């Protein structure tokens, strides 16, 4: 029988797109959580502009990361319960490629809209424009890395009952390189050094994850399905 | 001998354990190909596990499964459908979208006409724009079974049906029988688990676990 690979891609993207569109409360959760953190931080630091400029960049980053992590371990869980992961397994397209597409769609529909909010929050926290610009670039690249790490952790915890305990513990250590190189870029810009070396390292980490993550995820999904 | 093996499905000396429980030990079955095979057994006797094992979702501990000669795993995945007992439709999508995306994932034609035709045959065309979460279990089952009613499904080698008659009304059962007969006439093999006593098909083999 003739297999049309274009149709597989169309179907996959259509399914992901519609699922995200209909569960928009997930996205709203992230935004509300993020706004809460960013509003609460200046209140607790106190009315000193010096202190705030010292920590403002960190606040934006922490707010973004903390609000994303709870959604990362839910990439596969609903598909696993619905039996769609099995349908992916039966598809003629390699499971690794399907996972890669799923991660990209997740990144595109949940994380990229968040980057719109970075300039807004950064203005609220009095962050200079040059750093806002770099923050957006780093976040766009780094969040792809987060999604790929999330994919590994989400697939590893598919069979277990209490996923929300294990996933953050798995995600945080793996995410440290992204934190370090991401912050390195901003620190370099602040002190007038060349930010590119750190940016290249950040891209390297993401490229390595791009290769490793689908392989590990596909392997652990197959284990979860055939258990 | 080789030609006979080519269109046969044989389990040789299979044993399977899940966790600590032994489900089969040294199981030998030769299925009727083409034809209808009805797998019977008590609850927990391993009917679903048998289907999942044949469909490669479970890995047998020992023994060999001959799936139509030596089909490669990827070819076998494209040559059969497994309809499980509980629905595998996404709650967030409508019935039509579910079926369309399912066809797409198989690499088949994405034509909505054939989906409408299939739903119409099962008598659930009016529910096509309902979200799956709003549908009753009978309608979900019919939507699931209408995957079998596409032109491409009849060209496959094998259908694995896990209790397809659950939740179905009389019309649904009649139409399912009709498409099963059509598939067998087109040289298809069906493995079906069932608790029904009365079997209306002409040519079938009962396998007791």
């Amino acid at each position: 029988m003739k297999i049309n690979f274009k149709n597989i891609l169309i179907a996959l993207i259509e399914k992901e797109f519609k699922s995200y569109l209909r569960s928009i409360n997930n996205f709203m959760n992230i935004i509300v959580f993020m706004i809460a953190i960013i509003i609460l931080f200046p209140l607790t630091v106190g009315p000193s502009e010096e202190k705030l400029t010292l920590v403002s960049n960190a606040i934006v980053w922490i707010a973004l990361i903390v609000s994303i992590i709870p959604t990362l371990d839910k990439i596969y869980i609903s598909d696993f319960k619905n039996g769609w992961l099995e349908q992916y397994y039966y598809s003629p397209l390699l499971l690794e490629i399907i996972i890669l597409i799923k991660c990209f769609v997740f990144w595109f529909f949940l994380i990229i809209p968040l980057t719109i909010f970075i300039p807004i929050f950064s203005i609220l926290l009095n962050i200079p424009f040059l750093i806002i610009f770099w923050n957006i670039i780093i976040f766009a690249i780094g969040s792809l890395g987060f999604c790929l790490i999330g994919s590994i952790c989400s697939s590893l915890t598919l069979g277990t009952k209490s996923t929300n305990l294990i996933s953050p513990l798995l995600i945080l250590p793996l995410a440290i390189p992204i934190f370090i190189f991401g912050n390195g870029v901003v620190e370099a810009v602040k002190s007038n050094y060349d930010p590119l070396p750190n940016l290249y390292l950040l891209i390297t980490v993401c490229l390595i994850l791009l290769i490793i993550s689908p392989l590990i995820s596909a392997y652990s999904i197959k284990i979860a399905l055939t258990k | 001998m080789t030609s006979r093996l080519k269109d046969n499905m044989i389990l040789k000396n299979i044993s399977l354990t899940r966790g600590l429980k032994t489900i089969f030990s040294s199981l030998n079955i030769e299925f009727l190909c083409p034809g209808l095979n009805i797998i019977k057994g008590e609850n927990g006797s391993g009917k679903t596990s048998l289907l999942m094992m044949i469909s490669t979702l479970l890995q047998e501990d020992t023994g060999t499964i001959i799936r139509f000669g030596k089909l490669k795993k990827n070819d076998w995945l494209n040559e059969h459908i497994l309809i499980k007992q509980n629905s595998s439709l996404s709650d967030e999508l409508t019935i039509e979208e579910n079926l369309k995306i399912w066809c797409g994932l198989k690499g088949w034609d994405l034509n909505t006409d054939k989906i409408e035709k299939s739903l119409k045959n099962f008598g659930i065309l009016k529910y096509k724009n309902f979200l799956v979460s709003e549908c009753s279990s009978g309608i979900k089952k019919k939507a699931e079974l209408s995957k079998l009613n596409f032109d491409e499904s009849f060209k496959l080698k094998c259908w694995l049906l896990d209790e397809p008659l659950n939740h179905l009304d009389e019309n649904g059962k009649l139409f399912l029988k009709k498409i099963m007969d059509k598939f067998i006439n087109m040289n298809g093999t069906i493995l079906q688990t069932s608790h029904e006593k009365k079997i209306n098909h002409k040519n079938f083999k009962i396998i007791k676990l």
Side-chain angles (χ1 to χ4, degrees), chain B residues 147-179:
Chain B
K147 288 173 183 174
L148 300 173
N149 197 18
F150 301 136
D151 291 339
E152 288 94 341
S153 310
F154 289 108
K155 289 175 194 157
L156 300 178
K157 281 203 165 74
C158 187
W159 292 355
L160 308 173
L161 311 177
D162 193 4
E163 312 232 0
L165 301 173
N166 283 7
H167 306 297
L168 276 191
D169 57 11
E170 283 307 314
N171 285 338
K173 282 179 188 173
L174 274 179
F175 189 71
L176 181 63
K177 181 186 174 288
K178 205 171 131 191
I179 55 173

Side-chain angles (χ1 to χ4, degrees), chain A residues 63-109:
Chain A
L64 283 169
I65 305 309
V66 171
S67 48
I68 288 172
I69 281 178
T71 54
L72 281 182
D73 58 351
K74 294 185 183 76
I75 302 181
Y76 300 117
I77 196 79
S78 68
D79 277 348
F80 184 63
K81 281 179 184 161
N82 279 335
W84 271 97
L85 275 185
E86 267 167 41
Q87 309 302 335
Y88 293 151
Y89 171 77
Y90 286 127
S91 171
L93 199 63
L94 271 177
L95 191 58
E96 284 85 350
I97 298 172
I98 292 180
I99 284 164
L100 201 58
I101 294 168
K102 242 182 110 65
C103 288
F104 268 111
V105 175
F106 179 83
W107 177 64
F108 193 77
F109 286 111

Side-chain angles (χ1 to χ4, degrees), chain A residues 125-136:
Chain A
L125 292 167
N126 204 12
I127 298 174
F129 275 106
L130 186 67
I131 291 179
I132 296 176
F133 166 75
W134 279 104
N135 263 343
I136 291 172

Side-chain angles (χ1 to χ4, degrees), chain A residues 7-20:
Chain A
N7 279 355
I8 303 180
L9 289 180
I10 293 172
L12 199 63
I13 292 170
E14 191 184 338
K15 186 201 171 263
E16 295 299 308
F17 177 66
K18 281 187 173 149
S19 308
Y20 284 124

Side-chain angles (χ1 to χ4, degrees), chain A residues 154-224:
Chain A
S154 165
S155 59
L156 276 174
T157 52
L158 270 183
T160 56
K161 275 170 192 162
S162 56
T163 51
N164 42 1
L165 252 180
I166 306 165
S167 304
L169 287 178
L170 282 171
I171 291 169
L172 283 173
L174 288 171
I176 285 174
I178 299 175
F179 284 127
I180 291 173
F181 298 132
N183 239 8
V185 176
V186 178
E187 288 303 317
V189 173
K190 268 185 186 169
S191 44
N192 281 331
Y193 288 121
D194 186 11
L196 287 181
N198 274 316
L199 186 67
Y200 293 152
L201 281 171
L202 181 67
I203 294 171
T204 314
V205 172
C206 291
L207 286 177
I208 292 170
L209 281 171
L210 204 62
I211 298 165
I212 296 174
S213 163
L215 294 174
I216 300 175
S217 310
Y219 192 73
S220 44
I221 283 174
K222 276 177 195 163
I223 291 172

Side-chain angles (χ1 to χ4, degrees), chain A residues 1-4 7-8 11-12 14-15 18-19 22 82 84 86-92 226-227, chain B residues 18 55-58 73 78 82 84 88 90 92-93 97-98 101-102 104-108 110 152:
Chain A
M1 201 185 300
K2 210 182 151 208
I3 290 162
N4 192 338
N7 279 355
I8 303 180
L12 199 63
E14 191 184 338
K15 186 201 171 263
K18 281 187 173 149
S19 308
R22 280 170 202 172
N82 279 335
W84 271 97
E86 267 167 41
Q87 309 302 335
Y88 293 151
Y89 171 77
Y90 286 127
S91 171
T226 54
K227 203 164 64 175
Chain B
R18 286 182 87 175
S55 171
T56 71
L57 273 180
L58 286 178
K73 192 182 166 191
N78 297 333
L82 171 67
K84 290 178 90 175
S88 61
S90 178
E92 293 137 1
L93 304 175
E97 285 163 353
N98 259 304
I101 291 164
W102 184 83
L105 276 181
K106 285 258 172 199
W108 296 351
L110 284 173
E152 288 94 341

